[in-house]
Amino acid sequence: MNKSIILKLDNIYSSYSNVQVLNGVNLLVRKGEIVSLLGRNGMGKTTTIKSICGILKPHSGKIEFNSVKINGMESYKIARLGIGLVPEGRRIFANLTVKENLIGSSVKGYWDLDKILTLFPIFEERLSQLSSNLSGGEQQMLAIGRALMTNPSLLILDEATEGLSPVISKKIWNVLREVSNEGISILIIDKISQDLKEFSNYSYILERGKSVWNGKLAELSSDNSKRFLGV
Amino acid sequence: MISEKNISYISLISLLLIAIFAEYFNEPYLITLLSRIIIFSIAAIGLNLVLGFGNLISFGHAAFFGLGGYISGILAIHAFNSELLISWPFLFSGSNNSLIIWSFTILFCSLLALLLGALCLRTSGVYFIMITLAFAQMLYYFAISWPSYGGEDGFSIYVRSTLFGINTMQGLNFFLICFFWLLIILFTINRVVKSPFGLALRATRFNLTRVKSVGINPFKIQLIAFVLSGAITGIAGSLYVDLNRFVSPSLLSWQMSGEFIVFILIGGLGRIYGPLIGAAFFVTFEQFFGSYTEHWQIFLGIIIISTVLFAKGGIIGFILEYRKNE
Amino acid sequence: MNKILQIIDLKKNFGAITASNKINFCLETGEIHALIGPNGAGKSTLIKQIMGEMKQDSGEIILSGINISNLTTEDRIHLGFARSFQITDVISDFTIFQNVLLAKIGKEKKFYNFYSSIDSGELTYEEIKTILLKIDLWDEREKPASLLSHGERRQLEIGIALALNPKLILLDEPMAGLSLDKIEKMKVIFNQIKDDVPILLIEHNMDVVFSIANRISVLVNGKIIASGTSSEIKSNLDVKEAYLGTA
Amino acid sequence: MTAELLIEQLLNGLQFGFMLFLMSAGLTLIFGVMGLINLAHGSFYMIGAFSAAATFAFFNSFWLSLFASFSCAAVVGVIVEKTIIRKLYNRDHLDQVLVTFALILFFSELIRWIFGAFPLYLDVPKILNGSIEIFGGIYYSKYRLFIIFVGLIIATFLFFLIGKTNLGIQIRAGQYDREMISALGVNISKLYTLLFGIGAALAGLAGALIGTIQSVEVGMGEPILILAFVIIVIGGIGSIKGALIASLLVGLVDTLGRFLIPWVLQTITNPSDAMSIGSAIGSMLIYILMAIILILRPTGLYGKKLS
């Protein structure tokens, strides 16, 4: 059942302030699939995301989104094709209110303010509050809401539950399940965990900027896990 | 292989030779032009210490150039009219002796640099540029609205200050004095940039946290460099007033500050001899093009923009590049 | 063998979780003492307390006889604490030599010297040469730091730490992301510098730890459960079961 | 020294403050979002004044020349942004200073070439001519009141644009994290061109309004530009509110200072010294004000630490 491929990375090489970071990354995300990208710190996960979103220009290899070649394209054009980014460090606009964060880059479509508020009810009475005094977990939810408001067909989360308490992480996983049921494909970076194993259909592991393993996380052997993930 | 060293020696020797030829062929105007080039170079060399090596973009160095000029002018005019300048703590009515004038210039310009530096170095980046520009503009307006020294029209000092009895009214003598100052300042800057202090100053350009983590206080290093830079530009102002025997607020104008930066850019950023080459190019360009059209600044504007966008290394950079891949 | 760094009954808890539970630890001259433990064992909390970035609830930290428990991070660095890989990146426009020289100039307060030339080598040339030889970068000393590989950058950072002639060096995951041959090179360097500057090594890579560490302490759930030579630790049962998981 | 004189000076200070706001509002927005220092902003002020003067010479209609001032300035602004300024965004401040300094030389000489060196004049329209009783027998120039009125309208327009519209949200987001707003699909370079155009238009309008009372001549823009820099330093980069408050503060301090200090000094020294020293101090007042604020708050009243 070959569902149509939404995102394809083919042998991506990229450098970052003249340090070679990506040395051949291959990755595939099919429509409606949930793919996770793992690897120890400094192995090029975030650089891969930045190359997809156009923040960084890869110097060789091909990135296709809905079979449109996007590497080298301006990041705002790539975003408009339907990629919603929840970046590492969340990067919400602390000088704007919660509502302004949500509607600032919104695009008409299924997801609108009411649907986001049903997903994240805690924002209901805090819409006009400055988002600088949100907690880490709330900032992550706001970043997810902001990305959903652009009505993407592919949602990318970099460090989805990094540094969040177990209670909040649970909430994030539930939200992501709901989002996935609405047909949005997801590419997620996070530490390996039971939730991640259940949640992602397929996974890739990066080691020093190369995709060295892919498959279902359940099939990851313990010494591979130790070798690649140090855990 | 042409290295930056030979370019600098060639430019110095050619300056001297042209001056001697000009004297021989009795071309006083050309000697004044060469003195003008040297004086502008000294001003820009002073600025280059903080701009080229410390990445402190001061857009107000005309303040020191102008202060140096006004101090020398005031001391000279009072001496000329033997009019009392100050009655306390001792009777003093100015002086026509270059040594005294230069020491006052260095003293007051260093004090001004200390004051402005302590204020402006608290900020960085864009704020620093705007503040240095604003404070120079403050001195400019102060000079304009201070009637006792000619206000907007300035005043002339009729005769140049003398040094050990040399007849400075004679073009070549004055040229040699300026040339001597240029050598001293180039030698000093060369030593300072290559000294541990110079290394620390250059380090503040890249990474303040790095500099702090090895126990160096960047503010103090930048302030000392700023004071040294102000004093050198001040000397240029003093020589400039002696050259033209005229002082006016235009010495303090923002256009003057802007031109100093242009000299450094055209000559080559972060190169000790960059300002000398840049000033030489600017003055000859102004002289040559100025005779054709009074709108020569339009073409100057275009040259600066293309240099920044396409030839960032300036003339020295261009020559070295050209030589390298020959 | 006198004690350079002593940690006595260090306690730190966040609400219900005890991150450091009466930790006792000491680093002696001329040794590489590795601190290992599974993720979430409290290693980073301990390091933060040692560095002064985090205040301990109780207990003391002694640096060669001086109680530094309440000093700021800067003061601890001045007293001779060098931490590698937390130092922000090197100055990429400077050469390797200039980077180390800058640290020397900072340490010996020579930055008000306007006159002597840094190129002529009158200045601390010998000391910098020995440091560069130790970190095996002497031949590339004129290379700008911007062209350094990941591993060479690590070596330079150790050189900079050495230039501050510290009492000890704290190395946090120095082998992360290095290729096998680079790891071998680093091991040689560590062994060379441990005689004049003891190393507190935090490292996941078990074969590295067992091959170069003179002493190993195992931290589990905020408590040092075992401390000893690498062979003792290897055979120690509860270490195996709690951490190496090969019981 | 009658109350009437004081009130007149007060209103003059207010009028001067609003004109400074027109100049500094555009500049602080461009600074805040792009971190770009634009010395050529004063040239747009001059271009606006000259295009108004030229239109007035042909059509003799004040309102048409007012329209010409901000539209020409906006067009020139957009062209300059698309051709040159765009190349400067990721360049360091030194390059920005040099290129925009060169633009001043270019525009000033170009205008002098086209219009010659003699200053031009604009006439105040009939309905705004003369003065009007404001209250209690105090009369004030209708034209200056008109300027204050225009300043108020522009201020409200800008507060509405930045505070309430989606464009305003994107501008403020761009100030905070340019890379992120672009990764969310906002065409940040189109936003810059728009911002640059608005800034140039406001400066051009200010040039025309002030050019009508003073003269229209080459180099008229630069002194006002430097005042705008002082305002941005005091108000804090990127803040419209900061720009408005700082502009009114500088306008009042400068006007009242030049008026009150000589008057105060007269009581202690002879009138001629009082006049000369007073005007000298008066001219330096706003810079001293800037220095004080700098010491207390290095990033200005409303500025945030530039990342």
Side-chain angles (χ1 to χ4, degrees):
Chain A
M1 195 269 290
N2 171 1
K3 276 186 256 160
S4 66
I5 296 171
I6 186 166
L7 176 71
K8 182 160 171 275
L9 269 69
D10 180 4
N11 211 354
I12 297 302
Y13 281 78
S14 174
S15 60
Y16 191 67
S17 63
N18 65 44
V19 170
Q20 184 66 17
V21 180
L22 301 187
N23 320 303
V25 172
N26 299 296
L27 186 136
L28 256 176
V29 178
R30 286 190 177 72
K31 194 121 199 51
E33 217 184 17
I34 297 164
V35 171
S36 55
L37 184 60
L38 298 104
R40 276 214 283 241
N41 285 350
M43 292 303 143
K45 304 195 292 288
T46 299
T47 315
T48 307
I49 299 298
K50 282 188 172 176
S51 311
I52 297 170
C53 295
I55 295 171
L56 261 177
K57 300 274 182 291
H59 47 64
S60 74
K62 209 160 65 161
I63 305 177
E64 274 178 15
F65 182 69
N66 286 331
S67 55
V68 168
K69 183 168 182 289
I70 59 168
N71 48 327
M73 238 164 119
E74 301 254 3
S75 65
Y76 77 91
K77 285 195 183 115
I78 295 176
R80 286 187 185 169
L81 288 174
I83 293 185
L85 173 66
V86 182
E88 183 193 23
R90 303 176 188 103
R91 290 172 78 169
I92 52 139
F93 303 113
N95 60 337
L96 302 183
T97 66
V98 169
K99 185 174 183 219
E100 283 170 341
N101 263 284
L102 291 172
I103 63 171
S105 43
S106 58
V107 168
K108 287 245 169 326
Y110 172 78
W111 296 98
D112 56 20
L113 204 52
D114 305 336
K115 290 207 177 65
I116 299 294
L117 290 180
T118 42
L119 263 185
F120 304 115
I122 56 154
F123 288 143
E124 226 136 81
E125 353 55 56
R126 303 179 61 175
L127 281 178
S128 53
Q129 251 187 32
L130 258 187
S131 46
S132 45
N133 39 39
L134 291 180
S135 74
E138 285 156 351
Q139 282 186 12
Q140 179 69 342
M141 294 180 204
L142 183 58
I144 294 173
R146 177 179 65 180
L148 285 175
M149 286 288 280
T150 64
N151 274 292
S153 49
L154 167 69
L155 184 66
I156 301 181
L157 298 108
D158 192 344
E159 307 290 357
T161 58
E162 174 69 25
L164 299 183
S165 66
V167 166
I168 304 258
S169 305
K170 226 0 131 238
K171 179 90 181 67
I172 301 282
W173 290 116
N174 298 341
V175 162
L176 291 182
R177 280 192 187 82
E178 255 190 76
V179 165
S180 168
N181 300 344
E182 296 298 335
I184 293 185
S185 345
I186 293 180
L187 171 62
I188 182 166
I189 293 179
D190 208 349
K191 292 275 178 293
I192 187 158
S193 66
Q194 200 44 37
D195 289 304
L196 191 68
K197 278 186 183 151
E198 287 156 20
F199 185 67
S200 44
N201 321 103
Y202 202 77
S203 301
Y204 291 82
I205 295 184
L206 289 189
E207 174 82 2
R208 279 203 290 290
K210 256 174 91 56
S211 18
V212 288
W213 184 90
N214 51 51
K216 275 198 75 54
L217 271 182
E219 292 139 15
L220 181 64
S221 65
S222 73
D223 45 9
N224 261 346
S225 159
K226 178 154 263 329
R227 184 157 157 256
F228 296 132
L229 307 176
V231 125
Chain B
M1 207 283 280
I2 290 257
S3 77
E4 189 181 337
K5 259 231 166 323
N6 335 34
I7 296 179
S8 2
Y9 290 151
I10 292 167
S11 44
L12 285 176
I13 293 158
S14 45
L15 261 179
L16 198 58
L17 290 180
I18 300 169
I20 294 163
F21 281 130
E23 180 64 10
Y24 183 74
F25 293 107
N26 194 359
E27 288 281 1
Y29 185 71
L30 184 54
I31 296 179
T32 317
L33 202 65
L34 294 173
S35 309
R36 207 166 124 85
I37 288 176
I38 291 180
I39 291 167
F40 277 146
S41 317
I42 294 174
I45 289 167
L47 172 62
N48 196 29
L49 176 63
V50 287
L51 176 64
F53 296 102
N55 204 20
L56 296 169
I57 304 163
S58 157
F59 204 96
H61 256 57
F64 309 116
F65 190 73
L67 182 65
Y70 265 89
I71 287 170
S72 318
I74 290 167
L75 288 178
I77 197 68
H78 274 267
F80 187 78
N81 306 334
S82 59
E83 181 199 347
L84 212 54
L85 179 57
I86 45 170
S87 45
W88 179 86
F90 50 88
L91 296 181
F92 179 63
S93 57
S95 146
N96 199 1
N97 178 329
S98 300
L99 290 182
I100 295 176
I101 289 177
W102 288 335
S103 5
F104 269 92
T105 303
I106 292 173
L107 175 69
F108 283 100
C109 288
S110 308
L111 283 175
L112 178 67
L114 190 66
L115 178 68
L116 287 190
L119 251 176
C120 301
L121 286 170
R122 289 163 50 84
T123 67
S124 60
V126 179
Y127 278 98
F128 184 79
I129 302 170
M130 293 192 287
I131 294 152
T132 46
L133 175 58
F135 281 130
Q137 193 69 359
M138 174 175 87
L139 287 184
Y140 174 72
Y141 282 124
F142 182 79
I144 285 181
S145 53
W146 188 27
S148 31
Y149 288 99
E152 197 157 355
D153 315 326
F155 61 97
S156 60
I157 55 169
Y158 310 113
V159 76
R160 287 181 184 147
S161 59
T162 58
L163 182 67
F164 318 132
I166 299 170
N167 167 9
T168 49
M169 294 303 273
Q170 203 277 344
L172 188 61
N173 291 349
F174 186 73
F175 167 84
L176 291 174
I177 293 173
C178 297
F179 192 74
F180 179 69
W181 263 116
L182 179 65
L183 294 184
I184 298 175
I185 287 170
L186 280 175
F187 175 77
T188 326
I189 293 287
N190 211 342
R191 288 311 299 224
V192 164
V193 163
K194 295 201 168 70
S195 71
F197 172 82
L199 191 70
L201 177 65
R202 277 182 287 157
T204 60
R205 193 163 64 164
F206 303 108
N207 190 326
L208 286 185
T209 37
R210 180 97 265 307
V211 169
K212 283 192 197 121
S213 69
V214 291
I216 299 175
N217 175 348
F219 176 77
K220 282 207 189 101
I221 302 284
Q222 289 171 328
L223 187 58
I224 292 168
F226 200 77
V227 169
L228 186 56
S229 155
I232 292 173
T233 307
I235 291 172
S238 165
L239 292 174
Y240 191 67
V241 161
D242 260 344
L243 176 72
N244 306 332
R245 302 193 300 285
F246 178 71
V247 187
S248 77
S250 70
L251 267 63
L252 294 157
S253 68
W254 60 269
Q255 288 92 335
M256 189 66 83
S257 300
E259 276 169 25
F260 293 154
I261 300 178
V262 168
F263 299 158
I264 296 172
L265 165 82
I266 292 180
L269 253 170
R271 296 185 186 280
I272 294 172
Y273 287 79
L276 174 61
I277 312 278
F281 175 86
F282 187 92
V283 171
T284 24
F285 180 89
E286 179 181 23
Q287 207 54 42
F288 182 73
F289 263 85
S291 52
Y292 283 104
T293 150
E294 39 155 314
H295 304 301
W296 59 278
Q297 292 208 337
I298 292 183
F299 308 105
L300 177 67
I302 295 165
I303 287 175
I304 296 170
I305 293 175
S306 19
T307 314
V308 171
L309 293 185
F310 311 114
K312 193 67 195 295
I315 293 177
I316 295 182
F318 182 72
I319 294 172
L320 292 180
E321 209 54 44
Y322 181 73
R323 266 281 180 255
K324 209 161 58 183
N325 35 21
E326 203 170 55
Chain C
M1 283 284 263
N2 51 29
K3 295 189 175 10
I4 297 295
L5 178 71
Q6 278 173 286
I7 297 172
I8 306 157
D9 297 342
L10 205 68
K11 279 209 205 65
K12 176 75 184 179
N13 31 43
F14 302 106
I17 313 155
T18 44
S20 309
N21 173 357
K22 255 165 85 64
I23 293 181
N24 285 291
F25 178 91
C26 100
L27 177 71
E28 280 151 13
T29 45
E31 70 164 356
I32 297 179
H33 189 153
L35 180 70
I36 61 170
N39 261 354
K43 282 205 301 293
S44 57
T45 324
L46 176 58
I47 297 164
K48 283 206 178 94
Q49 292 170 75
I50 296 175
M51 288 317 303
E53 284 149 19
M54 189 189 281
K55 191 84 183 68
Q56 70 279 2
D57 296 345
S58 72
E60 277 169 0
I61 303 172
I62 317 282
L63 176 64
S64 54
I66 308 158
N67 183 332
I68 60 166
S69 315
N70 312 327
L71 291 183
T72 66
T73 314
E74 273 71 34
D75 299 343
R76 296 184 194 208
I77 292 177
H78 279 305
L79 274 171
F81 231 106
R83 46 179 188 174
S84 182
F85 315 126
Q86 258 82 34
I87 298 175
T88 46
D89 50 12
V90 297
I91 294 183
S92 30
D93 277 35
F94 278 9
T95 64
I96 291 176
F97 185 88
Q98 285 170 334
N99 263 287
V100 179
L101 177 61
L102 184 76
K104 205 44 122 177
I105 288 172
K107 182 67 186 172
E108 288 160 7
K109 300 263 178 282
K110 284 217 179 72
F111 33 81
Y112 291 126
N113 168 342
F114 286 78
Y115 198 72
S116 44
S117 151
I118 54 173
D119 302 338
S120 70
E122 308 140 19
L123 200 71
T124 65
Y125 194 80
E126 281 319 314
E127 286 165 64
I128 293 176
K129 182 172 182 182
T130 40
I131 293 174
L132 289 179
L133 285 170
K134 276 204 179 111
I135 58 170
D136 189 15
L137 284 175
W138 173 248
D139 336 333
E140 291 127 337
R141 59 188 180 288
E142 290 314 323
K143 195 171 154 188
S146 50
L147 307 177
L148 293 182
S149 72
H150 205 47
E152 284 162 339
R153 217 172 161 75
R154 284 277 157 78
Q155 291 164 254
L156 176 56
E157 280 175 359
I158 294 177
I160 291 169
L162 284 176
L164 297 168
N165 43 51
K167 296 201 174 62
L168 70 99
I169 294 186
L170 187 146
L171 296 180
D172 192 353
E173 296 288 343
M175 302 307 190
L178 293 189
S179 59
L180 287 181
D181 60 319
K182 270 279 183 260
I183 290 179
E184 283 319 308
K185 194 177 219 183
M186 289 296 255
K187 279 202 231 168
V188 166
I189 291 171
F190 289 169
N191 277 322
Q192 267 176 337
I193 57 175
K194 73 175 180 191
D195 301 334
D196 36 37
V197 180
I199 296 175
L200 171 54
L201 175 67
I202 289 100
E203 179 53 66
H204 271 297
N205 186 328
M206 280 309 114
D207 8 1
V208 165
V209 167
F210 285 122
S211 63
I212 54 165
N214 314 94
R215 260 196 317 156
I216 301 171
S217 297
V218 183
L219 185 70
V220 174
N221 301 331
K223 191 148 191 35
I224 304 265
I225 59 164
S227 188
T229 63
S230 48
S231 48
E232 285 163 359
I233 294 297
K234 244 188 200 156
S235 57
N236 181 314
L237 201 58
D238 34 8
V239 164
K240 274 207 188 84
E241 173 237 303
Y243 178 45
L244 303 177
T246 52
Chain D
M1 211 292 285
T2 63
E4 185 190 79
L5 208 52
L6 185 63
I7 290 176
E8 190 188 338
Q9 286 305 331
L10 213 62
L11 287 171
N12 285 351
L14 215 58
Q15 174 251 301
F16 186 36
F18 273 112
M19 277 310 100
L20 290 174
F21 174 66
L22 291 190
M23 268 300 274
S24 46
L27 207 51
T28 200
L29 273 182
I30 293 168
F31 255 140
V33 174
M34 309 179 217
L36 174 104
I37 177 165
N38 175 16
L39 297 178
H41 200 67
S43 310
F44 297 130
Y45 180 88
M46 174 177 68
I47 288 168
F50 271 94
S51 13
T55 331
F56 192 78
F58 284 102
F59 303 101
N60 207 339
S61 136
F62 175 78
W63 304 103
L64 192 61
S65 31
L66 216 54
F67 174 77
S69 72
F70 60 81
S71 36
C72 289
V75 164
V76 171
V78 166
I79 295 168
V80 164
E81 195 274 338
K82 278 209 177 329
T83 49
I84 296 171
I85 302 291
R86 174 153 296 186
K87 294 192 172 60
L88 295 178
Y89 291 140
N90 13 32
R91 284 287 190 104
D92 60 32
H93 292 312
L94 181 61
D95 294 356
Q96 294 171 2
V97 162
L98 280 162
V99 168
T100 49
F101 175 74
L103 281 175
I104 299 176
L105 304 181
F106 180 79
F107 281 125
S108 305
E109 270 321 305
L110 199 63
I111 297 274
R112 183 176 285 129
W113 202 345
I114 299 168
F115 289 91
F118 305 104
L120 304 172
Y121 295 95
L122 279 154
D123 299 343
V124 174
K126 272 182 290 314
I127 65 159
L128 290 175
N129 218 329
S131 51
I132 180 172
E133 189 194 357
I134 27 176
F135 58 81
I138 296 173
Y139 283 80
Y140 190 62
S141 131
K142 272 195 265 177
Y143 184 73
R144 287 179 185 268
L145 281 177
F146 167 68
I147 291 182
I148 294 176
F149 174 68
V150 167
L152 275 171
I153 291 193
I154 301 279
T156 27
F157 160 71
L158 281 176
F159 274 104
F160 177 75
L161 173 75
I162 301 300
K164 295 288 176 282
T165 65
N166 218 5
L167 174 67
I169 295 174
Q170 288 171 0
I171 288 173
R172 282 180 287 138
Q175 279 176 335
Y176 194 78
D177 189 339
R178 242 187 341 222
E179 198 179 70
M180 192 56 218
I181 192 73
S182 169
L184 286 162
V186 170
N187 179 351
I188 202 80
S189 46
K190 196 155 67 71
L191 197 66
Y192 290 170
T193 314
L194 187 68
L195 259 184
F196 206 83
I198 293 174
L202 291 180
L205 178 62
L209 288 171
I210 291 290
T212 315
I213 3 179
Q214 290 158 14
S215 63
V216 172
E217 56 194 346
V218 170
M220 62 195 285
E222 277 60 53
I224 301 284
L225 169 78
I226 293 173
L227 282 181
F229 279 157
V230 170
I231 285 158
I232 288 178
V233 165
I234 294 174
I237 283 186
S239 147
I240 290 283
K241 190 165 66 173
L244 180 62
I245 290 167
S247 304
L248 297 181
L249 189 64
V250 166
L252 289 170
V253 163
D254 190 67
T255 320
L256 292 180
R258 286 179 199 276
F259 168 70
L260 288 179
I261 292 182
W263 179 76
V264 164
L265 287 180
Q266 251 162 7
T267 52
I268 33 174
T269 63
N270 55 59
S272 78
D273 277 2
M275 184 45 80
S276 64
I277 300 167
S279 65
I281 298 172
S283 72
M284 292 177 25
L285 223 48
I286 39 171
Y287 301 99
I288 296 163
L289 175 71
M290 178 181 77
I292 296 165
I293 289 185
L294 245 178
I295 296 170
L296 305 175
R297 278 179 68 91
T299 55
L301 299 178
Y302 296 95
K304 50 180 175 22
K305 203 76 198 72
L306 266 188
S307 59

